[in-house]
Amino acid sequence: MTIQHDVFISYSTANQDIADKIHFTLEKNGLSCWIATKDIPSGRLYIDEIGAGIKSAKMVVLIYSKFSQESKYVKNEIHMAYKYDKPIISFNIDGSEPSEHMGYYLKVMQWLAAYPNPEDYLEKLVRDAREICDEKNDVPVVVDFTNFEKTDFSRHKHDWISLALLCLPVYWASFIYMGITANKKKWVFMGLLYLIPTLVLLILYFQIADYLFIYYPMFILFAVIFVLIWILAIIHGLVIRNEFLTLKAILRFSSMDEELFNYLFEGYINAK
């Protein structure tokens, strides 16, 4: 059975931070909200849950930005909201003008210019949402982020294997491991590239092992190069590890539903 909500929040996950703050503020002021990261149960089909969430909500708050106007998932949500005749408040956070496609659905909807600092316009958003939902509007609006927690997929998933491998001479294996686990071929390719200095050093050692005292300076030079590449790989690995943890957490959350995974991760890709 679908739970009734006052507000369906439509947004690109590139704008996850402000979406979390809007969700937190609306709920703190008595408006129940549907938001994908909290209201799609694990193992459920993305498209079914989105459709049910929009249909059961009294209205839609669209967080409009350069990312949301390019998101096919946001476009689908607004199309469904239009189909179900749901009031839409477009909360414009960066001054982006609606594209031709979005403009068709939003031209008769309510626009709220909320830039350059969207948090300054949350009180106005609450009052407008209350009015649409026929809630009491004489109650003071509370905009207070005490106990607020933003959505961070990476904190929900720890992986010490990738970190341990980076700190060992087989550091290249960390990239291959992260690439295979997160289905990122580019990371696997990086791991293979980082493997080359290790192979060169091993081949060099076994080739000159009996004459190491003669070729000692050459061996030391290659050893120094190896260590420098290792340090570079550690820095590189730590940079991509946060994305890896995010991917791994979302993969677990979405229970391998490809559409749900793309929906949740789309914004992170676009934001880079």
Side-chain angles (χ1 to χ4, degrees), residues 44-77:
R44 301 294 290 272
L45 289 176
Y46 147 81
I47 193 65
D48 292 343
E49 294 301 313
I50 293 292
I54 294 173
K55 193 172 183 178
S56 66
K58 296 178 181 177
M59 62 166 295
V60 172
V61 169
L62 165 63
I63 302 175
Y64 202 84
S65 70
K66 63 181 181 180
F67 298 112
S68 61
Q69 75 172 351
E70 297 299 328
S71 169
K72 69 175 184 178
Y73 300 102
V74 171
K75 291 175 183 176
N76 289 341
E77 289 166 0

PDB file of all heavy atoms in Angstrom, residues 44-77:
ATOM      1  N   ARG A  44      12.856  -2.905  -4.821  1.00  0.00           N
ATOM      2  CA  ARG A  44      11.649  -2.527  -5.561  1.00  0.00           C
ATOM      3  C   ARG A  44      12.024  -1.876  -6.887  1.00  0.00           C
ATOM      4  O   ARG A  44      13.092  -1.302  -7.048  1.00  0.00           O
ATOM      5  CB  ARG A  44      10.813  -1.547  -4.726  1.00  0.00           C
ATOM      6  CG  ARG A  44      10.390  -2.107  -3.381  1.00  0.00           C
ATOM      7  CD  ARG A  44       9.421  -3.275  -3.528  1.00  0.00           C
ATOM      8  NE  ARG A  44       8.133  -2.817  -4.012  1.00  0.00           N
ATOM      9  CZ  ARG A  44       7.155  -2.394  -3.202  1.00  0.00           C
ATOM     10  NH1 ARG A  44       7.338  -2.357  -1.888  1.00  0.00           N
ATOM     11  NH2 ARG A  44       6.004  -2.014  -3.712  1.00  0.00           N
ATOM     12  N   LEU A  45      11.116  -1.969  -7.861  1.00  0.00           N
ATOM     13  CA  LEU A  45      11.373  -1.401  -9.174  1.00  0.00           C
ATOM     14  C   LEU A  45      11.289   0.116  -9.121  1.00  0.00           C
ATOM     15  O   LEU A  45      10.311   0.682  -8.622  1.00  0.00           O
ATOM     16  CB  LEU A  45      10.370  -1.941 -10.192  1.00  0.00           C
ATOM     17  CG  LEU A  45      10.532  -3.414 -10.593  1.00  0.00           C
ATOM     18  CD1 LEU A  45       9.410  -3.833 -11.518  1.00  0.00           C
ATOM     19  CD2 LEU A  45      11.885  -3.645 -11.250  1.00  0.00           C
ATOM     20  N   TYR A  46      12.310   0.750  -9.656  1.00  0.00           N
ATOM     21  CA  TYR A  46      12.404   2.217  -9.645  1.00  0.00           C
ATOM     22  C   TYR A  46      11.158   2.872 -10.240  1.00  0.00           C
ATOM     23  O   TYR A  46      10.523   3.730  -9.636  1.00  0.00           O
ATOM     24  CB  TYR A  46      13.660   2.644 -10.413  1.00  0.00           C
ATOM     25  CG  TYR A  46      13.531   3.947 -11.157  1.00  0.00           C
ATOM     26  CD1 TYR A  46      13.675   5.159 -10.498  1.00  0.00           C
ATOM     27  CD2 TYR A  46      13.239   3.960 -12.525  1.00  0.00           C
ATOM     28  CE1 TYR A  46      13.541   6.360 -11.179  1.00  0.00           C
ATOM     29  CE2 TYR A  46      13.107   5.153 -13.205  1.00  0.00           C
ATOM     30  CZ  TYR A  46      13.260   6.345 -12.528  1.00  0.00           C
ATOM     31  OH  TYR A  46      13.112   7.523 -13.206  1.00  0.00           O
ATOM     32  N   ILE A  47      10.785   2.461 -11.452  1.00  0.00           N
ATOM     33  CA  ILE A  47       9.713   3.147 -12.178  1.00  0.00           C
ATOM     34  C   ILE A  47       8.382   3.033 -11.460  1.00  0.00           C
ATOM     35  O   ILE A  47       7.579   3.972 -11.435  1.00  0.00           O
ATOM     36  CB  ILE A  47       9.613   2.619 -13.638  1.00  0.00           C
ATOM     37  CG1 ILE A  47       8.724   3.547 -14.481  1.00  0.00           C
ATOM     38  CG2 ILE A  47       9.151   1.178 -13.666  1.00  0.00           C
ATOM     39  CD1 ILE A  47       9.281   4.933 -14.672  1.00  0.00           C
ATOM     40  N   ASP A  48       8.131   1.879 -10.831  1.00  0.00           N
ATOM     41  CA  ASP A  48       6.870   1.688 -10.097  1.00  0.00           C
ATOM     42  C   ASP A  48       6.804   2.601  -8.883  1.00  0.00           C
ATOM     43  O   ASP A  48       5.768   3.205  -8.598  1.00  0.00           O
ATOM     44  CB  ASP A  48       6.724   0.228  -9.657  1.00  0.00           C
ATOM     45  CG  ASP A  48       6.516  -0.719 -10.837  1.00  0.00           C
ATOM     46  OD1 ASP A  48       6.171  -0.222 -11.926  1.00  0.00           O
ATOM     47  OD2 ASP A  48       6.716  -1.930 -10.666  1.00  0.00           O
ATOM     48  N   GLU A  49       7.917   2.693  -8.166  1.00  0.00           N
ATOM     49  CA  GLU A  49       7.936   3.492  -6.942  1.00  0.00           C
ATOM     50  C   GLU A  49       7.838   4.987  -7.243  1.00  0.00           C
ATOM     51  O   GLU A  49       7.157   5.734  -6.535  1.00  0.00           O
ATOM     52  CB  GLU A  49       9.217   3.198  -6.145  1.00  0.00           C
ATOM     53  CG  GLU A  49       9.296   1.782  -5.603  1.00  0.00           C
ATOM     54  CD  GLU A  49       8.148   1.447  -4.681  1.00  0.00           C
ATOM     55  OE1 GLU A  49       7.849   2.260  -3.788  1.00  0.00           O
ATOM     56  OE2 GLU A  49       7.534   0.378  -4.865  1.00  0.00           O
ATOM     57  N   ILE A  50       8.505   5.433  -8.296  1.00  0.00           N
ATOM     58  CA  ILE A  50       8.437   6.851  -8.673  1.00  0.00           C
ATOM     59  C   ILE A  50       7.012   7.227  -9.059  1.00  0.00           C
ATOM     60  O   ILE A  50       6.458   8.233  -8.605  1.00  0.00           O
ATOM     61  CB  ILE A  50       9.399   7.148  -9.839  1.00  0.00           C
ATOM     62  CG1 ILE A  50      10.855   6.989  -9.394  1.00  0.00           C
ATOM     63  CG2 ILE A  50       9.155   8.553 -10.388  1.00  0.00           C
ATOM     64  CD1 ILE A  50      11.335   8.030  -8.401  1.00  0.00           C
ATOM     65  N   GLY A  51       6.406   6.411  -9.899  1.00  0.00           N
ATOM     66  CA  GLY A  51       5.041   6.679 -10.326  1.00  0.00           C
ATOM     67  C   GLY A  51       4.063   6.699  -9.171  1.00  0.00           C
ATOM     68  O   GLY A  51       3.212   7.595  -9.076  1.00  0.00           O
ATOM     69  N   ALA A  52       4.197   5.737  -8.263  1.00  0.00           N
ATOM     70  CA  ALA A  52       3.310   5.682  -7.106  1.00  0.00           C
ATOM     71  C   ALA A  52       3.536   6.875  -6.185  1.00  0.00           C
ATOM     72  O   ALA A  52       2.578   7.424  -5.618  1.00  0.00           O
ATOM     73  CB  ALA A  52       3.538   4.371  -6.342  1.00  0.00           C
ATOM     74  N   GLY A  53       4.807   7.279  -6.033  1.00  0.00           N
ATOM     75  CA  GLY A  53       5.118   8.421  -5.167  1.00  0.00           C
ATOM     76  C   GLY A  53       4.506   9.716  -5.677  1.00  0.00           C
ATOM     77  O   GLY A  53       3.956  10.513  -4.906  1.00  0.00           O
ATOM     78  N   ILE A  54       4.593   9.931  -6.990  1.00  0.00           N
ATOM     79  CA  ILE A  54       4.014  11.152  -7.585  1.00  0.00           C
ATOM     80  C   ILE A  54       2.492  11.117  -7.502  1.00  0.00           C
ATOM     81  O   ILE A  54       1.845  12.105  -7.144  1.00  0.00           O
ATOM     82  CB  ILE A  54       4.478  11.309  -9.040  1.00  0.00           C
ATOM     83  CG1 ILE A  54       5.985  11.568  -9.092  1.00  0.00           C
ATOM     84  CG2 ILE A  54       3.723  12.442  -9.735  1.00  0.00           C
ATOM     85  CD1 ILE A  54       6.568  11.575 -10.488  1.00  0.00           C
ATOM     86  N   LYS A  55       1.920   9.972  -7.812  1.00  0.00           N
ATOM     87  CA  LYS A  55       0.466   9.849  -7.828  1.00  0.00           C
ATOM     88  C   LYS A  55      -0.143  10.075  -6.448  1.00  0.00           C
ATOM     89  O   LYS A  55      -1.228  10.652  -6.322  1.00  0.00           O
ATOM     90  CB  LYS A  55       0.074   8.462  -8.357  1.00  0.00           C
ATOM     91  CG  LYS A  55      -1.398   8.327  -8.706  1.00  0.00           C
ATOM     92  CD  LYS A  55      -1.661   6.996  -9.390  1.00  0.00           C
ATOM     93  CE  LYS A  55      -3.131   6.894  -9.813  1.00  0.00           C
ATOM     94  NZ  LYS A  55      -3.396   5.614 -10.527  1.00  0.00           N
ATOM     95  N   SER A  56       0.570   9.651  -5.408  1.00  0.00           N
ATOM     96  CA  SER A  56       0.030   9.752  -4.051  1.00  0.00           C
ATOM     97  C   SER A  56       0.307  11.096  -3.392  1.00  0.00           C
ATOM     98  O   SER A  56      -0.261  11.404  -2.342  1.00  0.00           O
ATOM     99  CB  SER A  56       0.605   8.633  -3.175  1.00  0.00           C
ATOM    100  OG  SER A  56       1.998   8.817  -2.991  1.00  0.00           O
ATOM    101  N   ALA A  57       1.186  11.917  -3.994  1.00  0.00           N
ATOM    102  CA  ALA A  57       1.538  13.207  -3.389  1.00  0.00           C
ATOM    103  C   ALA A  57       0.524  14.280  -3.774  1.00  0.00           C
ATOM    104  O   ALA A  57      -0.111  14.212  -4.825  1.00  0.00           O
ATOM    105  CB  ALA A  57       2.935  13.623  -3.835  1.00  0.00           C
ATOM    106  N   LYS A  58       0.400  15.287  -2.927  1.00  0.00           N
ATOM    107  CA  LYS A  58      -0.497  16.406  -3.220  1.00  0.00           C
ATOM    108  C   LYS A  58       0.135  17.388  -4.202  1.00  0.00           C
ATOM    109  O   LYS A  58      -0.561  18.078  -4.932  1.00  0.00           O
ATOM    110  CB  LYS A  58      -0.858  17.143  -1.926  1.00  0.00           C
ATOM    111  CG  LYS A  58      -1.652  16.315  -0.930  1.00  0.00           C
ATOM    112  CD  LYS A  58      -1.922  17.124   0.335  1.00  0.00           C
ATOM    113  CE  LYS A  58      -2.696  16.305   1.362  1.00  0.00           C
ATOM    114  NZ  LYS A  58      -2.907  17.068   2.618  1.00  0.00           N
ATOM    115  N   MET A  59       1.454  17.443  -4.202  1.00  0.00           N
ATOM    116  CA  MET A  59       2.162  18.397  -5.056  1.00  0.00           C
ATOM    117  C   MET A  59       3.588  17.932  -5.286  1.00  0.00           C
ATOM    118  O   MET A  59       4.056  16.970  -4.665  1.00  0.00           O
ATOM    119  CB  MET A  59       2.189  19.788  -4.397  1.00  0.00           C
ATOM    120  CG  MET A  59       2.926  19.817  -3.074  1.00  0.00           C
ATOM    121  SD  MET A  59       3.305  21.476  -2.492  1.00  0.00           S
ATOM    122  CE  MET A  59       4.453  22.045  -3.741  1.00  0.00           C
ATOM    123  N   VAL A  60       4.279  18.637  -6.191  1.00  0.00           N
ATOM    124  CA  VAL A  60       5.680  18.325  -6.499  1.00  0.00           C
ATOM    125  C   VAL A  60       6.519  19.582  -6.310  1.00  0.00           C
ATOM    126  O   VAL A  60       6.133  20.664  -6.759  1.00  0.00           O
ATOM    127  CB  VAL A  60       5.833  17.816  -7.953  1.00  0.00           C
ATOM    128  CG1 VAL A  60       7.314  17.683  -8.326  1.00  0.00           C
ATOM    129  CG2 VAL A  60       5.121  16.483  -8.126  1.00  0.00           C
ATOM    130  N   VAL A  61       7.647  19.430  -5.627  1.00  0.00           N
ATOM    131  CA  VAL A  61       8.659  20.482  -5.578  1.00  0.00           C
ATOM    132  C   VAL A  61       9.797  20.054  -6.494  1.00  0.00           C
ATOM    133  O   VAL A  61      10.434  19.026  -6.266  1.00  0.00           O
ATOM    134  CB  VAL A  61       9.189  20.725  -4.151  1.00  0.00           C
ATOM    135  CG1 VAL A  61      10.432  21.620  -4.188  1.00  0.00           C
ATOM    136  CG2 VAL A  61       8.113  21.372  -3.286  1.00  0.00           C
ATOM    137  N   LEU A  62       9.999  20.811  -7.538  1.00  0.00           N
ATOM    138  CA  LEU A  62      11.087  20.545  -8.485  1.00  0.00           C
ATOM    139  C   LEU A  62      12.269  21.439  -8.144  1.00  0.00           C
ATOM    140  O   LEU A  62      12.150  22.665  -8.155  1.00  0.00           O
ATOM    141  CB  LEU A  62      10.631  20.818  -9.914  1.00  0.00           C
ATOM    142  CG  LEU A  62      11.729  20.927 -10.987  1.00  0.00           C
ATOM    143  CD1 LEU A  62      12.482  19.609 -11.120  1.00  0.00           C
ATOM    144  CD2 LEU A  62      11.141  21.356 -12.321  1.00  0.00           C
ATOM    145  N   ILE A  63      13.405  20.839  -7.828  1.00  0.00           N
ATOM    146  CA  ILE A  63      14.635  21.611  -7.605  1.00  0.00           C
ATOM    147  C   ILE A  63      15.260  21.810  -8.977  1.00  0.00           C
ATOM    148  O   ILE A  63      15.870  20.898  -9.545  1.00  0.00           O
ATOM    149  CB  ILE A  63      15.590  20.878  -6.648  1.00  0.00           C
ATOM    150  CG1 ILE A  63      14.895  20.618  -5.313  1.00  0.00           C
ATOM    151  CG2 ILE A  63      16.865  21.697  -6.437  1.00  0.00           C
ATOM    152  CD1 ILE A  63      15.703  19.803  -4.339  1.00  0.00           C
ATOM    153  N   TYR A  64      15.074  23.018  -9.498  1.00  0.00           N
ATOM    154  CA  TYR A  64      15.471  23.277 -10.879  1.00  0.00           C
ATOM    155  C   TYR A  64      16.892  23.828 -10.939  1.00  0.00           C
ATOM    156  O   TYR A  64      17.247  24.773 -10.235  1.00  0.00           O
ATOM    157  CB  TYR A  64      14.515  24.263 -11.554  1.00  0.00           C
ATOM    158  CG  TYR A  64      14.569  24.153 -13.054  1.00  0.00           C
ATOM    159  CD1 TYR A  64      13.828  23.193 -13.721  1.00  0.00           C
ATOM    160  CD2 TYR A  64      15.398  24.980 -13.806  1.00  0.00           C
ATOM    161  CE1 TYR A  64      13.886  23.057 -15.099  1.00  0.00           C
ATOM    162  CE2 TYR A  64      15.465  24.852 -15.184  1.00  0.00           C
ATOM    163  CZ  TYR A  64      14.709  23.896 -15.822  1.00  0.00           C
ATOM    164  OH  TYR A  64      14.786  23.757 -17.185  1.00  0.00           O
ATOM    165  N   SER A  65      17.709  23.224 -11.801  1.00  0.00           N
ATOM    166  CA  SER A  65      19.103  23.632 -11.964  1.00  0.00           C
ATOM    167  C   SER A  65      19.579  23.187 -13.341  1.00  0.00           C
ATOM    168  O   SER A  65      18.855  22.512 -14.079  1.00  0.00           O
ATOM    169  CB  SER A  65      19.979  22.995 -10.872  1.00  0.00           C
ATOM    170  OG  SER A  65      20.097  21.594 -11.094  1.00  0.00           O
ATOM    171  N   LYS A  66      20.807  23.534 -13.658  1.00  0.00           N
ATOM    172  CA  LYS A  66      21.377  23.103 -14.944  1.00  0.00           C
ATOM    173  C   LYS A  66      21.481  21.582 -15.012  1.00  0.00           C
ATOM    174  O   LYS A  66      21.482  20.998 -16.099  1.00  0.00           O
ATOM    175  CB  LYS A  66      22.754  23.736 -15.150  1.00  0.00           C
ATOM    176  CG  LYS A  66      23.800  23.317 -14.123  1.00  0.00           C
ATOM    177  CD  LYS A  66      25.135  24.006 -14.369  1.00  0.00           C
ATOM    178  CE  LYS A  66      26.186  23.571 -13.355  1.00  0.00           C
ATOM    179  NZ  LYS A  66      27.489  24.239 -13.583  1.00  0.00           N
ATOM    180  N   PHE A  67      21.566  20.930 -13.853  1.00  0.00           N
ATOM    181  CA  PHE A  67      21.653  19.471 -13.834  1.00  0.00           C
ATOM    182  C   PHE A  67      20.280  18.835 -14.003  1.00  0.00           C
ATOM    183  O   PHE A  67      20.120  17.872 -14.755  1.00  0.00           O
ATOM    184  CB  PHE A  67      22.295  18.985 -12.526  1.00  0.00           C
ATOM    185  CG  PHE A  67      23.703  19.456 -12.334  1.00  0.00           C
ATOM    186  CD1 PHE A  67      24.025  20.361 -11.328  1.00  0.00           C
ATOM    187  CD2 PHE A  67      24.718  19.017 -13.161  1.00  0.00           C
ATOM    188  CE1 PHE A  67      25.328  20.808 -11.156  1.00  0.00           C
ATOM    189  CE2 PHE A  67      26.028  19.450 -12.987  1.00  0.00           C
ATOM    190  CZ  PHE A  67      26.327  20.355 -11.986  1.00  0.00           C
ATOM    191  N   SER A  68      19.286  19.362 -13.301  1.00  0.00           N
ATOM    192  CA  SER A  68      17.951  18.755 -13.378  1.00  0.00           C
ATOM    193  C   SER A  68      17.332  18.916 -14.759  1.00  0.00           C
ATOM    194  O   SER A  68      16.602  18.044 -15.222  1.00  0.00           O
ATOM    195  CB  SER A  68      17.034  19.351 -12.299  1.00  0.00           C
ATOM    196  OG  SER A  68      16.868  20.735 -12.474  1.00  0.00           O
ATOM    197  N   GLN A  69      17.632  20.016 -15.437  1.00  0.00           N
ATOM    198  CA  GLN A  69      17.029  20.198 -16.754  1.00  0.00           C
ATOM    199  C   GLN A  69      17.635  19.268 -17.803  1.00  0.00           C
ATOM    200  O   GLN A  69      17.050  19.054 -18.862  1.00  0.00           O
ATOM    201  CB  GLN A  69      17.131  21.656 -17.209  1.00  0.00           C
ATOM    202  CG  GLN A  69      18.490  22.115 -17.676  1.00  0.00           C
ATOM    203  CD  GLN A  69      18.423  23.507 -18.295  1.00  0.00           C
ATOM    204  OE1 GLN A  69      17.341  24.049 -18.518  1.00  0.00           O
ATOM    205  NE2 GLN A  69      19.573  24.092 -18.557  1.00  0.00           N
ATOM    206  N   GLU A  70      18.797  18.667 -17.493  1.00  0.00           N
ATOM    207  CA  GLU A  70      19.410  17.701 -18.400  1.00  0.00           C
ATOM    208  C   GLU A  70      19.129  16.257 -17.982  1.00  0.00           C
ATOM    209  O   GLU A  70      19.488  15.327 -18.697  1.00  0.00           O
ATOM    210  CB  GLU A  70      20.925  17.921 -18.455  1.00  0.00           C
ATOM    211  CG  GLU A  70      21.345  19.271 -19.017  1.00  0.00           C
ATOM    212  CD  GLU A  70      20.876  19.486 -20.441  1.00  0.00           C
ATOM    213  OE1 GLU A  70      20.782  18.495 -21.197  1.00  0.00           O
ATOM    214  OE2 GLU A  70      20.558  20.636 -20.799  1.00  0.00           O
ATOM    215  N   SER A  71      18.505  16.082 -16.826  1.00  0.00           N
ATOM    216  CA  SER A  71      18.272  14.730 -16.308  1.00  0.00           C
ATOM    217  C   SER A  71      17.028  14.104 -16.933  1.00  0.00           C
ATOM    218  O   SER A  71      15.928  14.649 -16.831  1.00  0.00           O
ATOM    219  CB  SER A  71      18.109  14.781 -14.782  1.00  0.00           C
ATOM    220  OG  SER A  71      17.634  13.546 -14.299  1.00  0.00           O
ATOM    221  N   LYS A  72      17.195  12.966 -17.552  1.00  0.00           N
ATOM    222  CA  LYS A  72      16.038  12.296 -18.161  1.00  0.00           C
ATOM    223  C   LYS A  72      15.066  11.818 -17.094  1.00  0.00           C
ATOM    224  O   LYS A  72      13.852  11.722 -17.340  1.00  0.00           O
ATOM    225  CB  LYS A  72      16.486  11.132 -19.033  1.00  0.00           C
ATOM    226  CG  LYS A  72      17.077   9.942 -18.289  1.00  0.00           C
ATOM    227  CD  LYS A  72      17.376   8.791 -19.245  1.00  0.00           C
ATOM    228  CE  LYS A  72      17.889   7.563 -18.493  1.00  0.00           C
ATOM    229  NZ  LYS A  72      18.134   6.416 -19.400  1.00  0.00           N
ATOM    230  N   TYR A  73      15.588  11.537 -15.895  1.00  0.00           N
ATOM    231  CA  TYR A  73      14.726  11.061 -14.821  1.00  0.00           C
ATOM    232  C   TYR A  73      13.852  12.191 -14.277  1.00  0.00           C
ATOM    233  O   TYR A  73      12.674  11.988 -13.990  1.00  0.00           O
ATOM    234  CB  TYR A  73      15.568  10.435 -13.712  1.00  0.00           C
ATOM    235  CG  TYR A  73      16.379   9.269 -14.211  1.00  0.00           C
ATOM    236  CD1 TYR A  73      17.732   9.400 -14.488  1.00  0.00           C
ATOM    237  CD2 TYR A  73      15.778   8.033 -14.447  1.00  0.00           C
ATOM    238  CE1 TYR A  73      18.471   8.330 -14.983  1.00  0.00           C
ATOM    239  CE2 TYR A  73      16.500   6.963 -14.936  1.00  0.00           C
ATOM    240  CZ  TYR A  73      17.850   7.113 -15.202  1.00  0.00           C
ATOM    241  OH  TYR A  73      18.569   6.064 -15.701  1.00  0.00           O
ATOM    242  N   VAL A  74      14.419  13.374 -14.141  1.00  0.00           N
ATOM    243  CA  VAL A  74      13.634  14.527 -13.710  1.00  0.00           C
ATOM    244  C   VAL A  74      12.568  14.848 -14.755  1.00  0.00           C
ATOM    245  O   VAL A  74      11.408  15.140 -14.429  1.00  0.00           O
ATOM    246  CB  VAL A  74      14.536  15.752 -13.456  1.00  0.00           C
ATOM    247  CG1 VAL A  74      13.704  17.012 -13.217  1.00  0.00           C
ATOM    248  CG2 VAL A  74      15.450  15.497 -12.261  1.00  0.00           C
ATOM    249  N   LYS A  75      12.943  14.771 -16.029  1.00  0.00           N
ATOM    250  CA  LYS A  75      11.970  15.021 -17.102  1.00  0.00           C
ATOM    251  C   LYS A  75      10.807  14.039 -17.033  1.00  0.00           C
ATOM    252  O   LYS A  75       9.642  14.415 -17.210  1.00  0.00           O
ATOM    253  CB  LYS A  75      12.665  14.928 -18.468  1.00  0.00           C
ATOM    254  CG  LYS A  75      13.643  16.059 -18.750  1.00  0.00           C
ATOM    255  CD  LYS A  75      14.382  15.835 -20.064  1.00  0.00           C
ATOM    256  CE  LYS A  75      15.407  16.932 -20.307  1.00  0.00           C
ATOM    257  NZ  LYS A  75      16.201  16.697 -21.537  1.00  0.00           N
ATOM    258  N   ASN A  76      11.122  12.769 -16.767  1.00  0.00           N
ATOM    259  CA  ASN A  76      10.070  11.759 -16.643  1.00  0.00           C
ATOM    260  C   ASN A  76       9.152  12.061 -15.465  1.00  0.00           C
ATOM    261  O   ASN A  76       7.920  11.893 -15.561  1.00  0.00           O
ATOM    262  CB  ASN A  76      10.687  10.370 -16.469  1.00  0.00           C
ATOM    263  CG  ASN A  76      11.347   9.850 -17.727  1.00  0.00           C
ATOM    264  OD1 ASN A  76      11.068  10.334 -18.827  1.00  0.00           O
ATOM    265  ND2 ASN A  76      12.235   8.874 -17.581  1.00  0.00           N
ATOM    266  N   GLU A  77       9.741  12.499 -14.353  1.00  0.00           N
ATOM    267  CA  GLU A  77       8.942  12.806 -13.160  1.00  0.00           C
ATOM    268  C   GLU A  77       8.004  13.984 -13.410  1.00  0.00           C
ATOM    269  O   GLU A  77       6.833  13.951 -13.014  1.00  0.00           O
ATOM    270  CB  GLU A  77       9.880  13.097 -11.979  1.00  0.00           C
ATOM    271  CG  GLU A  77      10.600  11.864 -11.473  1.00  0.00           C
ATOM    272  CD  GLU A  77      11.760  12.172 -10.552  1.00  0.00           C
ATOM    273  OE1 GLU A  77      12.028  13.368 -10.295  1.00  0.00           O
ATOM    274  OE2 GLU A  77      12.412  11.223 -10.084  1.00  0.00           O
TER     275      GLU A  77
END
